[in-house]
Amino acid sequence: QDRQQRMERGTNMDEKIEVSIIVPLYNLEDKIGRCLDSLVRQTLSAIEILVVDDGSKDHGADVVREYQKKDKRIRLVSQENRGLGGARNTGIRESKGEYLGFVDSDDVVEQDMYEIMLNAVRKTGSDVAVCQEKNVCYEKDGTMRVLSETRFPCEKVTTYSGEQVLGWFLNYRYLSLNSACFKLVKKTVFTEHKIAFPEQHRYAEDLPTSGGIYSVVNSIAVVPKSLYFYIHETGTLSTSYTE
């Protein structure tokens, strides 16, 4: 019932969009539904879920269209393949929210992630919030195994200077600082400082973008909660390492 009420609130086109959640999609029709399930259940209702189909060759876009019939907050934008960076840049350009979040189409998030993150930036007056993440994989029996988890050096939402966080980032202190997915960023950080995701790189393209963000903001709200689940496929190199 709560989920239905949130979805019905999402159909109110007069409601201000506070957060745009940008979801690049490329050939993941078997995973996108799981991702969207975690997004439509967000406790923050004033969101748009902006899926950017980056030239997929499967039926992932059709899965998104089925979800659109149930939740009007979902938008679908299609383009020729430009890579993950290009899809995220399109999402930034097309977004209507005051703040931007990024979720990969094969991952999931806690249902209160964006409510917590939005409260963090507003209470601290920061333009950016960053949370912890859990690296997980699903076993064959459907259970989730935690591979590793970042731990920030605080017990409650804490404000740190951009300079200090940039130092952590450049020294690989906390892996959660690397990815765009664990952040909530005010859209003007991208637009006013001309920050974008590089499109010539197919891997780790959010590293220079994260560095750019930390370089221009005065403060960052660090949220010591693991709100994002970065899913690794069982049996791959990324699931067999030790912390």
Side-chain angles (χ1 to χ4, degrees):
Q1 183 179 6
D2 289 343
R3 178 185 175 188
Q4 183 63 35
Q5 289 174 346
R6 287 195 295 272
M7 290 169 63
E8 289 174 354
R9 287 199 297 270
T11 63
N12 181 3
M13 302 308 291
D14 294 329
E15 186 175 19
K16 178 183 176 182
I17 297 174
E18 294 181 298
V19 175
S20 294
I21 306 170
I22 297 168
V23 185
L25 174 63
Y26 182 72
N27 292 352
L28 283 172
E29 65 175 300
D30 59 333
K31 304 288 197 314
I32 184 62
R34 179 180 67 190
C35 176
L36 292 176
D37 283 339
S38 74
L39 297 180
V40 298
R41 287 195 287 260
Q42 287 297 298
T43 54
L44 179 69
S45 64
I47 61 174
E48 67 168 348
I49 302 164
L50 181 54
V51 181
V52 181
D53 179 22
D54 190 43
S56 296
K57 303 183 186 304
D58 64 2
H59 298 287
D62 292 332
V63 175
V64 177
R65 292 186 185 98
E66 288 300 312
Y67 274 80
Q68 284 182 299
K69 295 176 183 178
K70 303 174 184 178
D71 196 321
K72 301 300 183 183
R73 298 173 299 176
I74 299 173
R75 293 172 56 202
L76 177 63
V77 176
S78 299
Q79 65 180 29
E80 294 183 359
N81 182 258
R82 288 168 47 195
L84 185 57
R88 286 173 170 168
N89 288 336
T90 295
I92 294 171
R93 185 175 63 252
E94 297 287 336
S95 62
K96 299 178 181 178
E98 183 181 2
Y99 294 88
L100 306 182
F102 301 89
V103 175
D104 288 345
S105 52
D106 52 350
D107 294 335
V108 297
V109 302
E110 292 282 11
Q111 67 177 7
D112 56 355
M113 174 172 177
Y114 288 102
E115 181 177 11
I116 290 174
M117 298 286 271
L118 185 62
N119 286 338
V121 292
R122 288 188 167 161
K123 288 182 179 179
T124 63
S126 303
D127 287 341
V128 179
V130 59
C131 68
Q132 299 172 173
E133 96 292 344
K134 287 182 180 180
N135 290 278
V136 304
C137 68
Y138 285 107
E139 303 290 12
K140 293 181 179 180
D141 62 2
T143 59
M144 180 185 288
R145 176 163 63 97
V146 178
L147 302 170
S148 65
E149 180 179 9
T150 297
R151 296 287 188 180
F152 283 135
C154 53
E155 297 182 356
K156 61 181 181 180
V157 175
T158 304
T159 304
Y160 294 91
S161 69
E163 183 179 8
Q164 182 169 1
V165 175
L166 180 63
W168 289 344
F169 167 76
L170 293 175
N171 287 282
Y172 297 96
R173 183 82 178 272
Y174 304 104
L175 289 179
S176 285
L177 301 178
N178 297 353
S179 175
C181 294
F182 317 139
K183 295 180 178 66
L184 184 68
V185 185
K186 197 167 187 177
K187 184 176 180 177
T188 54
V189 172
F190 291 99
T191 56
E192 292 182 0
H193 298 281
K194 295 182 171 57
I195 293 175
F197 291 89
E199 299 189 18
Q200 68 271 30
H201 302 293
R202 290 283 170 155
Y203 300 99
E205 80 299 322
D206 45 2
L207 281 172
T209 308
S210 294
I213 291 170
Y214 302 141
S215 298
V216 300
V217 297
N218 292 323
S219 64
I220 294 160
V222 172
V223 180
K225 291 185 178 181
S226 299
L227 303 174
Y228 191 102
F229 294 89
Y230 188 90
I231 299 174
H232 302 258
E233 293 301 319
T234 302
T236 63
L237 180 63
S238 60
T239 62
S240 60
Y241 70 90
T242 63
E243 190 170 2

